[in-house]
Amino acid sequence: MASETYEFLKNIYDGEEVSRWNYPDKLIYDIRPARYPSSTQVIIAFDSDDDFLDVLGIDNDEDIWTWSKFMGRGYYGDDVDTERWRSDWEEGYLIDSFNEEQKEKVRQILKLTNPKLILTNENTHIVAKFLMNTFENEVDDIIYDYAYESEQCIRREVIEILEKETKNPFLKHGIVEEQHAYKFKTTVGILLNWYRTLKAEDEDLKGLLKVLVERYQKNVNRGDWAELEYNVWCSDFDKETVNRSFDNSLDKMLEAAEETLENNSDYEEYIALMDRVTKLGGFDKWINIQNGNRIKFHDIDRETNKLRMIYAKKGEWNGHMRSVNNVEDLNTMIYNLELFESIRKILRKLL
């Protein structure tokens, strides 16, 4: 038995008057009369994403959910899944991605807050953990902005793939897309031809299009979208915006770090000492200096600049604890220990 849709179209083709406001099929959006009845335009509209996907043979729940998330006309929220990207911070990947200027800011922050921790290519995960514990809000901002830009980039890539797979799907059949996944244009003559060719006179318009796709688009690759957002390559990540966020948060950390030394009356000497220690090799490891002597920096008092170290002369195994509070004394001790010791003896007598 012929469907109401088929009979409606046949009546138009035969030149009969039909209602312009009461269509028998939910997919018929508009009828636009032409000089010849067979050329009368039929505007098809999918008010439901589910109907459009069903016509294209997309019936997997995960594929439908992916479409709804990235292409759906309803509101599905714009929340950023920061937890997905938090591990990139915790494992040090984000710090690895910093440019050299940003890494230098990290080094300066560490000098002011945790002098014994020096940024290297091997300990970014340790630095990341310390910064998270010390500057939680600023690190959260970095993670959020990185996550947002990452997800926006992924969204663009996924949408491009979904659009490509579903663009103008009925074009070869004479049904032309006017608005992607929503509105299409054809004629009464074309639709009746397909009804008769497919022997689908009993189908409504959705049923006809579904049969058309099943018959002629068996080799078209659509679907399998469930893992798409995790597998796409993000080719246009907005690094410039992310760098601005990184810089802003690092500047806030650096400012807060500088405030922690407000009780240090000789801030510049502290920085000079830390620069010298870093250049020599850092804390907690033996460093060979001249004449077979060794030195191991132990710690530094962030308020008094007292830098403690173990100095081992050639042939000594354990060495002896010594301290300085300025770069000049440090250099004297390293390169002329006898002079350093004699100066110290004189100073002790004077005091």
Side-chain angles (χ1 to χ4, degrees):
M1 181 178 177
S3 67
E4 286 187 68
T5 303
Y6 175 80
E7 292 293 347
F8 177 78
L9 296 173
K10 187 173 180 298
N11 288 341
I12 295 175
Y13 184 85
D14 291 339
E16 296 183 17
E17 290 283 339
V18 296
S19 172
R20 290 286 311 280
W21 314 109
N22 186 22
Y23 303 136
D25 195 298
K26 66 178 182 179
L27 293 191
I28 297 178
Y29 178 84
D30 193 16
I31 299 293
R32 299 172 183 172
R35 180 176 181 182
Y36 301 102
S38 64
S39 299
T40 298
Q41 288 189 351
V42 180
I43 307 302
I44 299 170
F46 289 90
D47 290 326
S48 165
D49 285 336
D50 289 344
D51 285 339
F52 177 70
L53 295 175
D54 188 36
V55 165
L56 297 185
I58 305 297
D59 55 8
N60 179 278
D61 288 341
E62 291 182 338
D63 286 346
I64 294 171
W65 183 87
T66 300
W67 178 275
S68 298
K69 179 177 180 179
F70 293 97
M71 303 290 290
R73 294 165 225 163
Y75 178 73
Y76 293 90
D78 199 23
D79 294 335
V80 177
D81 181 14
T82 56
E83 291 307 309
R84 175 183 173 185
W85 307 100
R86 186 171 295 275
S87 62
D88 283 9
W89 175 266
E90 293 172 346
E91 294 173 23
Y93 298 145
L94 285 189
I95 294 180
D96 285 334
S97 74
F98 285 178
N99 60 38
E100 191 53 41
E101 183 180 344
Q102 290 160 352
K103 288 180 180 178
E104 183 57 31
K105 289 180 181 180
V106 173
R107 295 185 187 102
Q108 293 301 319
I109 292 166
L110 295 177
K111 285 178 185 178
L112 301 174
T113 56
N114 190 350
K116 298 180 71 171
L117 181 58
I118 298 174
L119 177 66
T120 68
N121 292 332
E122 290 73 36
N123 73 346
T124 51
H125 62 292
I126 298 173
V127 172
K129 183 177 181 180
F130 170 75
L131 293 179
M132 170 62 84
N133 291 336
T134 310
F135 304 100
E136 183 177 1
N137 291 338
E138 289 79 8
V139 171
D140 280 344
D141 288 342
I142 287 177
I143 294 171
Y144 178 88
D145 291 338
Y146 172 77
Y148 177 81
E149 293 301 333
S150 295
E151 292 193 358
Q152 287 301 305
C153 187
I154 289 171
R155 185 176 187 84
R156 291 190 293 271
E157 295 291 336
V158 171
I159 287 175
E160 183 177 348
I161 292 171
L162 296 180
E163 286 181 342
K164 184 177 180 180
E165 290 190 16
T166 58
K167 184 176 181 178
N168 233 335
F170 317 115
L171 179 62
K172 292 182 178 179
H173 313 301
I175 304 170
V176 181
E177 180 179 279
E178 287 195 325
Q179 184 177 340
H180 178 255
Y182 175 54
K183 196 173 287 186
F184 300 82
K185 178 174 65 176
T186 187
T187 67
V188 166
I190 289 173
L191 289 176
L192 286 176
N193 176 65
W194 283 120
Y195 266 114
R196 292 160 183 162
T197 299
L198 298 172
K199 296 181 173 53
E201 292 90 342
D202 58 337
E203 299 283 356
D204 60 10
L205 202 46
K206 177 183 173 182
L208 172 68
L209 296 175
K210 192 168 183 177
V211 172
L212 191 64
V213 170
E214 290 171 350
R215 178 75 63 86
Y216 295 105
Q217 298 187 21
K218 293 179 180 179
N219 297 323
V220 175
N221 184 28
R222 294 192 188 102
D224 292 328
W225 300 329
E227 299 297 319
L228 198 55
E229 65 180 296
Y230 304 105
N231 297 328
V232 293
W233 173 253
C234 189
S235 61
D236 66 338
F237 182 73
D238 192 350
K239 186 66 174 175
E240 183 178 345
T241 297
V242 168
N243 273 334
R244 283 198 299 269
S245 168
F246 288 172
D247 287 333
N248 183 54
S249 293
L250 289 172
D251 287 343
K252 289 180 180 178
M253 291 185 208
L254 188 54
E255 182 179 352
E258 290 171 347
E259 290 175 357
T260 66
L261 288 176
E262 61 184 9
N263 293 327
N264 189 319
S265 60
D266 200 349
Y267 168 84
E268 292 182 358
E269 191 65 50
Y270 173 85
I271 296 299
L273 272 171
M274 280 305 307
D275 287 342
R276 188 73 177 114
V277 170
T278 301
K279 187 174 182 179
L280 287 168
F283 289 89
D284 295 330
K285 58 183 178 182
W286 284 109
I287 300 167
N288 293 319
I289 52 178
Q290 65 178 18
N291 301 325
N293 299 331
R294 297 178 299 150
I295 194 169
K296 181 193 286 187
F297 294 109
H298 187 268
D299 59 27
I300 185 171
D301 189 303
R302 296 169 61 248
E303 293 187 3
T304 66
N305 295 346
K306 183 177 181 180
L307 174 64
R308 297 196 304 160
M309 70 214 76
I310 300 174
Y311 194 110
K313 295 180 181 179
K314 183 178 180 179
E316 288 185 341
W317 180 252
N318 294 323
H320 301 280
M321 184 68 73
R322 289 178 167 84
S323 66
V324 297
N325 60 11
N326 60 73
V327 173
E328 183 179 357
D329 285 352
L330 175 61
N331 287 333
T332 301
M333 187 184 67
I334 291 175
Y335 300 114
N336 196 333
L337 181 61
E338 289 74 16
L339 177 60
F340 176 80
E341 295 290 3
S342 65
I343 292 174
R344 282 299 176 94
K345 288 179 182 178
I346 293 171
L347 287 175
R348 278 198 292 269
K349 288 180 180 180
L350 292 176
L351 296 174

